[in-house]
Amino acid sequence: GAVVSQHPSWVICKSGTSVKIECRSLDFQATTMFWYRQFPKQSLMLMATSNEGSKATYEQGVEKDKFLINHASLTLSTLTVTSAHPEDSSFYICSARDLGQGFSPLHFGNGTRLTVT
Amino acid sequence: DQQVKQNSPSLSVQEGRISILNCDYTNSMFDYFLWYKKYPAEGPTFLISISSIKDKNEDGRFTVFLNKSAKHLSLHIVPSQPGDSAVYFCAASALKGAQKLVFGQGTRLTINP
């Protein structure tokens, strides 16, 4: 089945630094990847839609200058949390859909636990 | 505005019995619905889906029912097994457009031996 790999699985950083999270589709191509965030005991909230070769589309209330998204190839999207603050601590999950499968379910990475101290 | 709602935060079921998880939605543009299973510190795993042209879809122990008029869907797991203990998320999407998923709040299912 389709596999999405996310790296790192967890990261601790100091306030004010930037953190990059990678999302790769391992055995399929994806022109679109989605970035979600989950706070403890809450739902997965869509942050942005990452489009290969073009700008990402951000959901309302998500700062595009803080959460930089780059989708340089059909198998890689990156999310950079810039100038991280403790309130950015969360579980970030990426997802992708197999282009060759028409409308198929989203496949998710295993997530990245970000802790900002 | 919560477009997808799972009103039961938790559910406890005896092993071997049926687990029924419920989900309601408000957006009439949604026409594709999915259930995901999630363990702590992991990404969601796809379980089963249904499009709005159907009212039932079955896959092994898992069956999803869709009631479009009530904007309600449910996931039935039978028989329930201890390994089914996890958080279950209902998600909805419109087949046209961005096809992004909107998730419910999740229901924590515990299967008791």
Side-chain angles (χ1 to χ4, degrees):
Chain A
V3 177
V4 175
S5 174
Q6 193 172 334
H7 178 81
S9 55
W10 60 270
V11 58
I12 301 173
C13 70
K14 291 187 176 180
S15 188
T17 61
S18 295
V19 174
K20 180 186 282 189
I21 302 170
E22 292 187 349
C23 179
R24 294 180 186 273
S25 56
L26 294 186
D27 52 359
F28 65 98
Q29 294 183 329
T31 54
T32 304
M33 293 185 177
F34 301 90
W35 287 94
Y36 287 82
R37 179 168 59 184
Q38 184 187 25
F39 291 107
K41 298 186 179 180
Q42 293 189 23
S43 183
L44 286 79
M45 300 300 296
L46 179 66
M47 298 176 64
T49 302
S50 171
N51 304 299
E52 187 266 337
S54 64
K55 290 183 179 180
T57 305
Y58 290 82
E59 294 300 302
Q60 192 173 10
V62 178
E63 299 176 56
K64 62 180 181 180
D65 294 329
K66 180 167 188 62
F67 299 99
L68 299 180
I69 290 174
N70 184 278
H71 193 153
S73 77
L74 286 173
T75 59
L76 173 64
S77 175
T78 61
L79 167 68
T80 301
V81 183
T82 62
S83 187
H85 292 283
E87 58 264 31
D88 298 324
S89 298
S90 188
F91 191 58
Y92 293 86
I93 315 173
C94 72
S95 63
R97 180 175 288 119
D98 189 341
L99 267 182
Q101 295 292 320
F103 188 85
S104 61
L106 279 182
H107 298 280
F108 285 82
N110 271 336
T112 298
R113 169 74 58 193
L114 170 63
T115 302
V116 184
T117 61
Chain B
D1 178 31
Q2 190 72 30
Q3 297 184 71
V4 179
K5 298 179 183 180
Q6 293 175 256
N7 292 317
S8 297
S10 63
L11 175 67
S12 187
V13 174
Q14 203 72 23
E15 181 180 359
R17 307 294 284 267
I18 184 171
S19 296
I20 301 176
L21 298 100
N22 294 301
C23 177
D24 298 293
Y25 62 96
T26 57
N27 190 337
S28 57
M29 298 300 292
F30 290 147
D31 52 12
Y32 187 62
F33 306 90
L34 309 90
W35 284 94
Y36 283 84
K37 178 180 180 180
K38 186 179 182 300
Y39 294 113
E42 292 185 11
T45 302
F46 169 72
L47 273 178
I48 192 168
S49 64
I50 188 168
S51 72
S52 59
I53 61 174
K54 293 186 174 182
D55 54 18
K56 176 183 175 181
N57 188 26
E58 189 174 352
D59 184 2
R61 295 186 298 116
F62 302 92
T63 303
V64 56
F65 295 91
L66 175 63
N67 182 334
K68 289 185 289 294
S69 60
K71 293 190 175 67
H72 176 84
L73 64 155
S74 61
L75 174 68
H76 293 210
I77 306 173
V78 57
S80 300
Q81 299 173 353
D84 295 330
S85 296
V87 177
Y88 289 78
F89 287 94
C90 166
S93 177
L95 284 174
K96 294 183 180 179
Q99 299 178 353
K100 54 190 181 184
L101 291 183
V102 178
F103 283 84
Q105 307 95 312
T107 297
R108 179 174 299 280
L109 175 65
T110 302
I111 306 301
N112 301 309

